[in-house]
């Protein structure tokens, strides 16, 4: 379901028909296969994995699905990984192919596939297969990807014409209108200066416009005038605008055009990922072409660390550059490092490229999101440049599982990774991917040093399985951290993992000590909770520990590196606060479906969780109804007693009474509420300035008349009655839920008539929900009467003084929670003439679900692991990179980390967030001694002394001078 929120149903259905061919089950191929297979769905969907090579020890360090017994038995790589890829998704048919694929192969078998992905295939064969795919009708979508040492490339060709149905995947924007000019062009202004966030050339359709009503239902292309206004063409002949109106963005398909690989080699169209090096993609393009030519010329790749081979590759690069259309400059360093490391393999780089490539596969088979046009190059020269003076013997193979990594970063850095103590907070999607990266890098595998500590308090849910790839269906309801640790040991049995189920936040007892933090070499967060991230960041700053943070939302992702003394911290910047829906909007004046969903969510929380909890708490404090009655009668004020007694007196005691209560609530929420608002503010009500009260964004409500045969009405009654029965501990059977039984009960319910009230309706948008509603003396008298009646009727016994609060759970479809919220929200929407939302959308908004997809988490985790290598190597500030990506568009932007801000006190004395000044004292050290020591050591006069929020010494405060003598 989390993926469905990213892709939508149309794309999911198209994926269900797709057949994909993936060649090369090395480190990159398995990354693409893993992410690709997770998001494919249905039994008609098929993935063929192809490879002709046998498993070697080398593969253990690059392919997380190849195990030591596969190496011992020399299994084919496709056959070894087949069942482990198939295990990820039971809905997809996965097959293995081991037939040779070379220049003599008849390619007609590829006609069965919609998409072909090539890894570890020669450039000559790539061109031949691309030509075949491009020539088909419709074209077979072609993707090729390679990782050689510290450089990687990705190429896409989806044919001469490829239609994209939705370029961004974002929800269509809705804009409330405050004015439309009668002019050429007509200028539309947004309500209350809310920015529209539109772009010139986009299309909008209009509805609910009063006055200029001919706009309603029409579509217009817009030109942006300002962040708060746009033009829509000639409106001079239309009627004058009066009020109201909503403009809704219209998604329009876009046609993309691709060239064949042969042509793109000479004139490449590249995505620039690092704007500080816009020339880099073309330089890597030339270097990787030189590598391909070297392989063709010599029948091998350049030897590890061989300077002679590097010189030969540089000559080839120079001659290739002359044949390309724009004759790009050759970067000698890029060619040299590519040559030195080409035999090696960096698993985190493969994870990053594999995630992006998998997203392109998805685009190819669905037409959803903007495809890559046509090349992406990512290099990690930042990792190897500081290793320039390291001897070539450091990079040579030692015959173990880390040889591919060693060829890229050298043995010393490998050893540092083995000896690393790392604390990973969160074992969700990114956490699972990070553990896989740790296992391949050998993190925490040192003989005497090194440990991976992981923590996550959550249990595995079914919705986790589409992207948290270490988990399987039989793991559901098991702790994430323990399960993830066990699965990681399957990838690398030598990794040392300590797994906890602690929640890391300031409010819990199980938070880790400062001593624990100081033992960690690096902390990695994989959380979606901002407050927890801020807390962990504060602990890292306090204990001078590096932190790498990351997160995803749908196809978007980010990484941030925080290094002591070099960078700012996570807490150095603040995200803009989430816009809260004003209380009066929720209570009386909803304007959008989000408002009605939040209202229904609040009703759920109030009726089935908050009130039952308060009820239980009250009767735990006052164990008997007789005692409470006596205290009230004696004039004692007991907090909350009025609401508790009201709940007790109205408590349903049978299924019939639960249904009756639901029916009465229907009338109150969806009829009486509307009648009361129209009583307080009739439709012709005007404000002091003469304008109508009921105009956009305020929508007048109209009472909903109950109809038993309306599925929405019936659904509300059943879901509400079931929840009332649960909280009031009333049993019910399947027969009780039958239409016949429900109809019989409802037809005899006496619904209270509407009686208008003179209560003031809150219209101030800045007003907050009151904490306490005052209780009148009449209410108190009524409470005494109701409680006496309950006691006399034997309806205030011990069992009557208990309720069963419900905790909201969005992912259990059998509990009726989302059913209630969907029905309540859509009935309120109907009352206010707001477009309703289906159950799926309601679940996302009410459950605050963060859309997620495996492709983005794989890419982000790979980028985090690359930064981890730099942190372990103790690199200089300019080596670190933060990244923001959106695989839907696609964009990938690398930026340098923010340099730590230094505060000057005066000449020669300054500090940053990472600095500590230490004053050493003895047992008899007084406050005055401390102030004198600061004066002597730093030459500054302390004006006051505080600890946290405690003021220890402020000279102007009475009595503080006496504190100078205290130790």
């Amino acid at each position: 379901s989390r993926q469905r929120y990213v892709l939508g149903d149309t794309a999911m259905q198209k994926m269900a028909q797709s057949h994909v061919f993936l060649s090369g089950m090395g480190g990159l191929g398995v990354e693409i296969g893993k992410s690709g297979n997770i998001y494919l769905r249905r039994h008609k969907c098929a993935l063929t994995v192809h490879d002709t090579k046998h498993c070697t020890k080398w593969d253990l360090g690059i392919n997380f699905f190849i195990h030591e017994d596969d190496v011992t038995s020399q299994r084919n790589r496709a056959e070894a990984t087949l069942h482990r890829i198939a295990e990820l998704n039971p809905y997809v048919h996965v097959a293995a192919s081991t037939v040779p694929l070379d220049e003599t192969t008849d390619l007609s078998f590829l006609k069965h596939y919609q998409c072909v992905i090539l890894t570890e295939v020669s450039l000559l064969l790539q061109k031949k297969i691309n030509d075949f795919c491009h020539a088909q009708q419709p074209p077979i979508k072609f993707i090729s990807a390679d990782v050689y040492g510290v450089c990687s490339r990705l190429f896409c060709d989806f044919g001469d014409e490829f239609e994209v149905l939705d370029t961004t995947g974002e929800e269509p924007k809705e804009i409330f209108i405050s004015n439309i000019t009668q002019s050429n062009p007509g200028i539309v202004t947004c309500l209350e200066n809310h920015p529209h966030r539109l772009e010139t050339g986009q299309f909008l359709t209009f509805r609910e416009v009063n006055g200029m009503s001919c706009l309603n239902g029409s579509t217009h292309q817009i030109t942006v005038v300002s962040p708060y206004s746009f033009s829509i063409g000639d409106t001079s002949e239309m009627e004058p605008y009066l009020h109201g109106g909503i403009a809704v963005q219209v998604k329009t398909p876009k046609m993309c055009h691709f060239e064949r690989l042969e042509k793109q080699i000479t004139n490449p169209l590249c995505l620039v990922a690092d704007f500080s090096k816009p020339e880099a993609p073309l330089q890597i393009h030339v270097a990787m072409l030189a590598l391909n030519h070297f392989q063709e010329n010599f029948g091998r790749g350049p030897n590890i660390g061989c300077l002679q081979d590097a010189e030969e590759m540089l000559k080839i690069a120079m001659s290739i550059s002359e044949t390309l259309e724009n004759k790009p400059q050759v970067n000698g360093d890029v060619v040299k490092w590519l040559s030195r490391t080409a035999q090696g393999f960096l698993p985190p780089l493969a994870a990053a490229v594999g995630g992006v490539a998998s997203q392109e596969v998805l685009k190819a088979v669905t037409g959803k999101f903007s495809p890559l046009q046509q090349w992406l190059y990512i290099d990690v020269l930042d990792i190897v440049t500081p290793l320039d003076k390291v001897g070539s013997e450091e990079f040579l193979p030692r015959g173990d599982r880390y040889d591919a990594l060693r060829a890229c970063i050298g043995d010393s850095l490998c050893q540092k990774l083995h000896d690393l103590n790392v604390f990973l907070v969160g074992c969700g999607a990114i956490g699972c991917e990070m553990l896989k990266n740790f296992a391949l890098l050998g993190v925490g595998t040192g003989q005497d040093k090194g440990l991976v500590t992981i923590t996550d308090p959550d249990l595995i849910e079914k919705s986790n399985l589409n992207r948290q790839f270490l988990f399987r269906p039989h793991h559901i309801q098991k702790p994430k951290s323990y399960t993830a640790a066990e699965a990681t040991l399957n990838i690398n049995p030598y990794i040392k993992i300590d797994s906890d189920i602690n929640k890391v936040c300031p409010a819990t007892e199980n938070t880790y000590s400062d001593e624990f933090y100081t033992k960690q070499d690096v902390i990695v967060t994989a959380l979606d909770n901002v407050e927890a991230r801020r807390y962990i960041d504060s602990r890292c700053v306090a204990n001078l520990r590096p932190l790498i943070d990351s997160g995803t939302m749908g196809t978007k992702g980010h990484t941030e590196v925080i290094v002591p003394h070099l960078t700012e911290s996570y807490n150095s910047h603040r995200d803009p606060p989430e816009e809260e829906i004003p209380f009066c909007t929720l209570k009386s004046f909803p304007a959008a479906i989000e408002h009605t969903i939040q209202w229904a969510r609040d009703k759920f929380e109030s009726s089935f969780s908050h009130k039952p909890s308060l009820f239980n708490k009250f009767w735990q404090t006052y164990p008997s109804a007789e005692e409470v009655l006596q205290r009230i009668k004696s004039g004692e004020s007991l907090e909350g007693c009025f609401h508790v007694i009201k709940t007790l007196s109205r408590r349903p005691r049978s299924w019939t009474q639960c249904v009756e209560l639901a029916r009465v609530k229907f009338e109150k929420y969806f009829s009486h509420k509307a009648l009361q608002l129209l009583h307080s503010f009739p439709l012709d009500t005007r404000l002091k300035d003469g304008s109508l009260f009921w105009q956009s964004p305020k929508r007048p409500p109209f009472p909903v008349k109950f109809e038993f045969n309306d599925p929405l009405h019936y659904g509300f009654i059943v879901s509400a009655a079931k929840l009332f029965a649960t909280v009031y501990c009333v049993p019910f059977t399947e027969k009780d839920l039958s239409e016949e039984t429900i109809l019989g009960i409802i037809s005899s319910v006496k619904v209270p008539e509407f009686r208008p009230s003179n209560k003031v309706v809150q219209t101030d948008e800045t007003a907050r929900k009151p904490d306490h509603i005052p209780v009148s003396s009449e209410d108190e008298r009524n409470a005494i009467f109701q409680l006496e009646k309950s006691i006399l009727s034997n309806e205030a016994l011990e069992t009557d003084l208990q309720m069963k609060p419900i905790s909201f759970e969005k992912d259990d479809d059998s509990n009726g929670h989302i059913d209630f919220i969907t029905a309540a929200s859509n009935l309120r929407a109907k009352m206010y003439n707001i477009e309703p939302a289906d159950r799926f959308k309601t679940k996302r908004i009410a459950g605050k679900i963060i859309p997620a997809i495996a492709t983005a988490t794989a890419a982000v985790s790979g980028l985090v692991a690359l930064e981890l290598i730099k942190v372990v190597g103790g690199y200089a500030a300019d080596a670190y990179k933060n990244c923001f990506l959106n695989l839907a568009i696609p964009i990938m932007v690398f930026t340098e980390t923010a340099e730590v801000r230094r505060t000057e006190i005066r000449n020669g004395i300054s500090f940053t967030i990472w600095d500590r000044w230490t004053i050493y004292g003895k047992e008899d050290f007084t406050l005055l001694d401390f102030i004198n020591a600061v004066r002597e050591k730093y030459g500054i006069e302390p004006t006051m002394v505080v600890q946290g929020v405690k003021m220890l010494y402020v000279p102007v405060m009475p009595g503080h001078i006496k504190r100078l003598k205290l130790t």
Side-chain angles (χ1 to χ4, degrees):
S1 65
R2 302 302 188 265
Q3 175 181 297
R4 195 175 151 203
Y5 289 119
V6 182
L7 301 175
D9 287 340
T10 304
M12 294 286 274
Q13 285 157 9
K14 285 190 174 183
M15 282 198 306
Q17 309 294 326
S18 58
H19 288 64
V20 177
F21 179 84
L22 168 60
S23 179
M25 292 313 293
L28 179 55
V30 77
E31 281 286 355
I32 299 171
K34 178 255 294 173
S35 297
N37 189 43
I38 288 173
Y39 64 60
L40 294 171
R41 71 192 286 259
R42 302 267 176 91
H43 292 288
K44 292 179 183 175
C45 200
L47 171 68
T48 301
V49 292
H50 168 265
D51 205 302
T52 57
K53 296 177 183 174
H54 294 290
C55 300
T56 64
K57 204 156 197 173
W58 183 279
D59 290 306
L60 295 174
I62 67 173
N63 187 322
F64 46 85
F65 279 157
I66 288 178
H67 299 165
E68 288 182 348
D69 59 326
D70 299 318
V71 176
T72 308
S73 56
Q74 290 197 310
R75 296 182 71 193
N76 172 278
R77 293 196 303 183
E79 290 175 340
T81 55
L82 172 68
H83 75 276
R84 289 162 194 146
I85 290 175
E87 227 183 17
L88 292 169
N89 191 342
Y91 298 110
V92 178
H93 175 70
V94 184
S97 169
T98 61
V99 298
L101 185 63
D102 54 35
E103 281 73 11
T104 63
T105 304
D106 179 3
L107 299 178
S108 58
F109 76 96
L110 292 176
K111 290 181 180 180
H112 301 294
Y113 299 97
Q114 281 82 48
C115 182
V116 169
I117 311 138
L118 303 181
T119 70
E120 301 186 12
V121 172
S122 72
L123 189 61
L124 281 173
L125 186 54
Q126 284 183 42
K127 286 193 239 182
K128 180 184 175 182
I129 294 173
N130 173 247
D131 287 342
F132 176 84
C133 292
H134 195 101
Q136 303 308 304
Q137 289 300 327
I140 300 168
K141 315 306 180 288
F142 175 89
I143 297 169
S144 66
D146 290 298
V147 172
Y148 288 108
V150 294
C151 293
S152 67
R153 72 177 166 206
L154 175 63
F155 173 79
C156 294
D157 171 14
F158 296 170
D160 292 327
E161 291 190 337
F162 178 74
E163 187 179 52
V164 179
L165 302 174
D166 181 353
T167 56
T168 65
E170 302 289 340
E171 287 271 325
K173 295 180 179 72
E174 288 199 0
I175 298 113
F176 286 94
I177 296 165
S178 70
N179 188 48
I180 306 173
T181 62
Q182 207 176 8
S183 57
N184 186 13
I187 306 295
V188 180
T189 306
C190 303
L191 188 70
E192 295 169 355
N193 272 349
H194 281 295
H196 50 69
R197 296 190 176 90
L198 297 168
E199 295 173 17
T200 294
Q202 290 180 328
F203 290 86
L204 298 177
T205 185
F206 292 83
R207 67 169 196 256
E208 300 177 30
V209 176
N210 289 278
M212 209 174 271
S213 55
C214 60
L215 281 177
N216 291 329
S218 64
T219 302
H220 297 261
Q221 192 170 21
I222 66 119
T223 302
V224 171
V225 175
S226 80
Y228 311 102
S229 61
F230 52 87
S231 64
I232 56 168
D234 191 355
T235 59
S236 57
E237 300 299 316
M238 297 181 187
E239 305 155 54
Y241 170 83
L242 295 177
H243 64 83
I246 300 172
V248 183
Q249 184 186 359
V250 178
K251 295 269 186 172
T252 51
K254 178 185 174 184
M255 196 63 74
C256 295
H257 306 281
F258 290 82
E259 294 179 338
R260 297 175 189 238
L261 178 59
E262 184 80 64
K263 188 171 183 185
Q264 271 288 304
I265 282 173
T266 58
N267 188 21
L269 180 62
C270 300
L271 180 73
V272 176
D274 188 342
F275 290 106
S276 68
K277 302 186 294 183
E279 71 288 347
L282 281 179
Q283 291 175 349
I284 305 169
H285 180 74
V286 172
M288 292 192 84
L289 288 177
L291 174 63
N292 295 131
H293 282 260
F294 185 101
Q295 291 166 330
E296 289 165 19
N297 294 348
F298 296 97
R300 62 171 178 87
N303 288 321
I304 296 169
C306 177
L307 294 177
Q308 192 176 345
D309 284 354
E311 287 298 323
E312 184 61 36
M313 242 180 76
L314 187 60
K315 289 177 192 171
I316 296 170
M318 292 290 192
S319 62
I320 286 174
S321 175
E322 292 301 312
T323 66
L324 303 187
E325 284 193 21
N326 46 14
K327 295 183 172 47
Q329 186 183 2
V330 175
N331 185 320
D333 284 341
V334 173
V335 176
K336 176 187 77 174
W337 279 112
L338 176 59
S339 173
R340 284 181 65 172
T341 63
Q343 296 260 22
F345 191 90
L346 268 175
L349 182 57
V353 178
V356 181
S358 299
Q359 189 74 39
E360 294 308 309
V361 177
L362 186 152
K363 296 172 188 179
V365 299
T366 65
K368 177 90 180 236
F369 307 131
S370 301
L372 170 68
Q373 289 190 288
Q374 288 188 250
W375 300 87
L376 171 66
Y377 284 98
I378 302 174
D379 73 274
V380 285
L381 260 71
D382 291 331
I383 289 179
V384 291
T385 304
L387 306 176
D388 199 30
K389 300 286 188 276
V390 176
S392 59
E393 68 282 352
E394 273 268 316
F395 299 85
L396 296 175
R398 310 282 168 99
D400 62 19
R401 65 168 63 219
Y402 307 111
D403 278 346
L405 175 66
R406 188 176 288 110
C408 296
I409 65 172
D411 189 60
S412 296
L413 207 41
C414 283
Q415 289 303 322
K416 286 182 179 178
L417 286 167
H418 300 341
D419 294 342
L420 196 68
N421 289 329
V422 61
F423 181 32
L424 173 66
V425 187
C427 299
I430 294 175
C432 285
E433 296 282 349
M434 283 311 310
L435 285 168
K436 171 258 297 176
N437 291 332
F438 291 167
L440 294 177
L441 292 172
V443 171
T445 59
Q447 283 190 340
D448 304 315
K449 297 179 189 173
L451 176 68
V452 176
T453 304
I454 61 176
T455 188
D456 195 311
D458 293 344
L459 301 179
I460 297 160
E461 304 286 349
K462 189 174 185 178
S463 63
N464 300 150
L465 300 181
N466 88 306
R467 65 204 180 282
Q468 300 179 16
F469 90 104
L470 296 180
F471 307 141
R472 303 290 179 269
H474 62 271
H475 292 140
I476 288 171
Q477 289 304 298
K478 290 184 178 178
K480 284 187 177 180
S481 59
Y482 299 159
T483 310
E486 191 181 333
T488 307
L489 286 164
N490 285 333
I491 300 172
N492 186 340
Y494 305 103
I495 193 168
K496 290 172 282 181
I497 303 185
D498 186 3
S499 50
D500 300 328
I501 52 172
N502 297 335
K503 190 173 186 179
V504 183
C505 69
T508 60
E509 293 176 15
N510 288 326
T511 45
Y512 295 85
S513 66
D514 284 336
E515 186 184 2
F516 170 82
Y517 277 93
T518 54
K519 287 179 180 175
Q520 306 309 311
D521 298 307
V522 64
I523 289 89
V524 177
T525 49
L527 300 164
D528 53 19
N529 184 314
V530 173
E531 288 311 310
R533 282 154 119 168
R534 293 201 180 285
Y535 170 69
I536 293 162
D537 175 74
S538 67
R539 299 297 298 275
C540 289
V541 171
N543 293 285
L544 302 178
R545 300 292 99 183
L547 168 68
I548 311 178
D549 177 65
S550 62
T552 65
M553 187 158 82
T555 57
K556 303 184 187 81
H558 79 274
T559 65
E560 183 176 7
V561 194
I562 294 145
V563 184
H565 304 295
L566 299 181
T567 71
E568 288 289 303
S569 75
Y570 184 83
N571 283 307
S572 301
H573 52 80
R574 289 270 171 181
D575 295 329
E578 278 188 41
E579 276 190 41
E580 279 191 13
I581 304 169
F583 171 62
C584 70
T585 301
L586 279 180
K587 189 169 175 60
S588 305
F589 308 112
I593 194 64
E594 287 80 5
H595 302 160
T596 70
I597 292 171
Q598 187 58 53
W599 172 88
R601 177 73 177 83
D602 291 348
K603 273 281 173 272
F604 178 97
E605 199 63 32
S606 168
S607 302
F608 309 121
S609 180
H610 184 61
K611 284 179 181 175
S613 296
L614 290 179
F615 185 89
N616 288 349
K617 188 179 178 184
F618 182 87
W619 293 115
Q620 284 160 7
T621 309
Y622 310 104
S624 76
E626 289 79 8
E627 182 192 334
V628 169
L629 181 63
Q630 195 178 347
R631 286 189 175 204
I632 300 172
K633 280 184 171 179
S634 66
E636 203 173 331
S637 177
L638 307 181
E639 189 181 348
C641 77
F642 168 68
H643 298 291
V644 166
I645 293 167
K646 187 177 167 186
T647 302
L648 178 66
S649 66
R650 297 180 180 182
R651 181 181 187 125
R653 295 165 190 282
S654 66
W655 173 249
T656 297
Q657 289 178 345
C658 290
V659 175
E660 288 170 349
L661 179 58
R663 176 64 186 88
V664 169
K665 291 292 184 188
F666 181 100
E667 204 69 17
K668 177 186 174 183
Y669 296 156
F670 312 119
S671 177
H672 291 184
K673 175 69 179 177
L675 294 168
Q676 178 59 47
L677 273 170
L678 293 172
H679 169 77
S680 301
F681 304 105
L683 289 175
D684 57 358
T685 303
R686 291 189 178 269
L687 300 171
K688 288 178 183 176
D689 63 1
S691 61
L692 283 168
F693 177 85
W694 291 110
Q695 63 169 301
S696 183
K698 286 190 177 73
R699 310 167 77 90
F702 296 96
V704 178
K705 188 173 185 298
F706 181 76
E707 298 283 351
F708 182 84
N709 293 326
D710 188 317
L712 186 58
H713 300 199
Y714 179 76
F716 174 83
I717 298 295
V718 173
S719 59
K722 283 168 71 176
L723 292 169
F724 283 129
T726 303
V727 294
Y728 290 111
C729 308
V730 175
F732 59 91
T733 64
E734 281 298 314
K735 188 183 176 187
D736 290 330
L737 294 170
S738 69
E739 281 192 29
E740 186 184 350
T741 304
I742 304 284
L743 178 59
I745 298 169
I746 283 180
S747 56
S748 60
V749 174
K750 289 180 181 175
V751 178
E753 284 187 20
F754 169 69
R755 288 197 179 94
S757 158
N758 292 321
K759 276 186 184 176
V760 175
V761 177
Q762 182 61 261
T763 58
D764 180 4
E765 289 198 0
T766 61
R768 302 185 74 82
K769 184 178 181 179
D771 292 330
H772 296 287
I773 299 169
V775 179
S776 67
S777 55
E778 187 185 342
D779 288 338
E780 284 177 0
R781 285 194 297 275
N782 198 25
I784 292 170
F785 170 73
Q786 287 175 338
L787 188 54
E788 283 178 332
K789 189 180 173 185
S790 295
I791 292 168
L792 289 170
S793 310
N794 283 330
E795 292 183 344
L797 303 175
E798 190 178 339
T799 52
D800 299 314
L801 306 183
Q802 293 173 8
M803 290 175 72
K804 186 181 176 184
I806 297 174
S807 294
F808 174 66
E809 174 47 61
K810 58 187 176 290
D811 285 319
D812 180 358
D813 289 342
S814 66
N815 63 21
H817 299 184
I818 295 296
D819 295 334
F820 170 83
I821 291 169
T822 304
S825 166
N826 284 341
L827 279 164
R828 190 167 171 84
K830 188 175 183 180
M831 184 168 103
Y832 283 94
N833 196 26
I834 294 169
E835 194 75 24
D838 62 17
R839 188 182 189 282
F840 188 64
K841 181 177 179 178
T842 303
K843 178 178 170 178
R844 174 177 64 80
I845 296 169
K848 295 184 176 174
I849 290 172
I850 298 173
I853 193 164
T855 52
T857 50
V860 161
S861 72
L863 296 173
V864 167
L866 291 170
E867 296 305 313
L868 177 77
I869 295 171
K870 300 174 193 175
V871 170
V872 172
Y875 285 20
D878 59 358
Y880 300 105
K881 291 284 186 286
N882 293 338
C883 180
F884 170 77
L885 57 84
N886 184 348
L887 301 185
I889 303 180
I891 62 166
M892 202 171 198
V893 180
F894 292 99
T895 59
E896 288 190 358
T897 54
E899 186 181 350
V900 65
R901 190 164 57 88
R902 181 164 290 280
T903 303
E904 290 279 339
I905 297 175
R906 58 176 172 73
N907 287 344
I909 296 183
S910 63
F911 68 89
T912 74
I913 56 167
W914 300 101
D915 284 319
R916 300 288 174 273
W917 288 357
T918 306
I919 300 293
Y920 294 96
K922 297 175 183 175
E923 282 183 22
D924 59 351
F925 205 67
T926 64
L927 184 57
L928 181 60
D929 291 335
F930 171 74
I931 289 170
N932 288 336
V934 172
R935 186 188 294 118
E936 288 165 21
K937 189 169 181 180
Y938 297 104
I940 57 175
E941 186 71 43
T943 52
M944 64 177 178
V945 182
V946 297
Q947 182 199 21
V949 295
K950 298 171 192 167
M951 292 189 291
L952 302 186
Y953 174 67
V954 183
V956 295
M957 297 284 281
H960 276 216
I961 295 294
K962 294 176 184 175
R963 294 182 177 181
L964 291 171
K965 297 175 186 176
L966 300 176
T967 55

